[in-house]
Amino acid sequence: MPADGPRVTHVGGPTALVEFDGLRVLTDPTFDAPGRRYAFGWGTGSRKTAGPAVAPADLPALDAVLLSHDHHADNLDDAGRALLPSAGVVLTTVPGARRLGGNAVGLAPGATAALPNGWEVTATPARHGPPLSRPVVGEVVGFALRRAGADRVALWISGDTVPHRALSRFAARARVDVALLHLGAVRFGLTGPVRYTMTGREAVELCGLLRPRVVVPVHHEGWSHFRERREAVERAFERAPAAVGSALRWLPPGRPVEL
């Protein structure tokens, strides 16, 4: 495996195992079996429709879990929560770390934490809904992973977010190699057309600022509240400028892919 590129295994939903030279991290752990319906608060909820492609018992020892937020089960379900104590550290939002306790550490956007073997992670801005929705949907962060002191971000994980000004500012100045984007165009009947994660079209616009070498969509399948699936994302990237459209990469569930 090249030292400058990650090996990524898409487990399902937002969950991915990311392995760099000397580092293993897991994103947003979701390992419950399909079939159950989960309440997200304020009358919203979703049913899990697909199980994980990798079992928790088959994971390697984890240096860190990068948890965009702890309060929605499509980003942290019961089985995912059970494995958190086995990780070296759980990096998440500041209120999320207070709720989780134990080995959880909260990062506000812009804050950086050291990881083993010369790596570091910086929290990046995310907003999980329209303006003024934060009191309802809660805090979310993304993560920029890089070698300590490096200018280029080796891997950026968007977290559950819609486009907003702080995210655009980050994208315009960041130098990102691989981007894991939480898509799905999440909507709920209760709140009508309001979206809580990016569409494929919005992802294309964001990548026009980011200019990543590789774009990996996650968080677009496996739950009933995801309203935009792979086909719609593909259409959006097919219409994109070549430099953006050619970066799209789909990962087969459960199989490690070097990027």
Side-chain angles (χ1 to χ4, degrees):
M1 178 176 60
D4 57 349
R7 180 169 64 186
V8 179
T9 306
H10 187 201
V11 175
T15 310
L17 173 66
V18 179
E19 300 174 273
F20 282 95
D21 182 33
L23 184 73
R24 293 182 177 89
V25 300
L26 187 72
T27 68
D28 284 8
T30 55
F31 290 92
D32 283 359
R36 177 178 163 191
R37 183 172 179 82
Y38 299 78
F40 292 163
W42 297 85
T44 64
S46 182
R47 186 175 302 280
K48 191 169 187 180
T49 60
V54 178
D58 294 328
L59 295 172
L62 299 172
D63 296 299
V65 168
L66 305 182
L67 176 60
S68 67
H69 58 302
D70 69 302
H71 51 281
H72 293 152
D74 62 319
N75 296 84
L76 181 67
D77 59 19
D78 292 343
R81 192 176 296 265
L83 69 77
L84 296 183
S86 65
V89 65
V90 177
L91 299 176
T92 189
T93 64
V94 172
R98 288 196 295 263
R99 287 188 291 264
L100 292 170
N103 60 342
V105 174
L107 295 179
T112 295
L115 293 176
N117 299 310
W119 290 90
E120 66 182 25
V121 63
T122 301
T124 62
R127 197 185 74 202
H128 200 358
L132 306 179
S133 65
R134 201 178 306 272
V136 176
V137 298
E139 297 285 338
V140 180
V141 290
F143 299 99
L145 189 63
R146 74 186 87 201
R147 286 282 190 184
D151 291 332
R152 191 166 184 82
V153 173
L155 177 78
W156 177 57
I157 303 152
S158 70
D160 285 13
T161 188
V162 297
H164 62 286
R165 187 173 300 173
L167 183 61
S168 295
R169 286 197 298 264
F170 163 78
R173 68 174 185 267
R175 297 177 63 236
V176 171
D177 186 43
V178 177
L180 264 67
L181 301 186
H182 289 211
L183 303 183
V186 166
R187 288 188 293 114
F188 300 98
L190 186 68
T191 53
V194 174
R195 290 193 179 92
Y196 297 91
T197 59
M198 284 187 286
T199 66
R201 181 183 57 80
E202 290 166 342
V204 165
E205 293 174 358
L206 182 66
C207 289
L209 297 173
L210 278 174
R211 295 289 179 171
R213 178 177 61 87
V214 179
V215 177
V216 177
V218 297
H219 195 269
H220 58 84
E221 44 71 42
W223 291 79
S224 63
H225 65 309
F226 295 156
R227 301 302 178 93
E228 191 177 82
R229 308 290 175 158
R230 173 170 173 161
E231 294 77 12
V233 176
E234 287 177 336
R235 287 194 298 271
F237 275 82
E238 285 169 359
R239 300 186 185 110
V244 173
S246 63
L248 186 66
R249 184 79 177 269
W250 297 98
L251 300 187
R255 287 171 47 195
V257 175
E258 296 182 7
L259 299 175

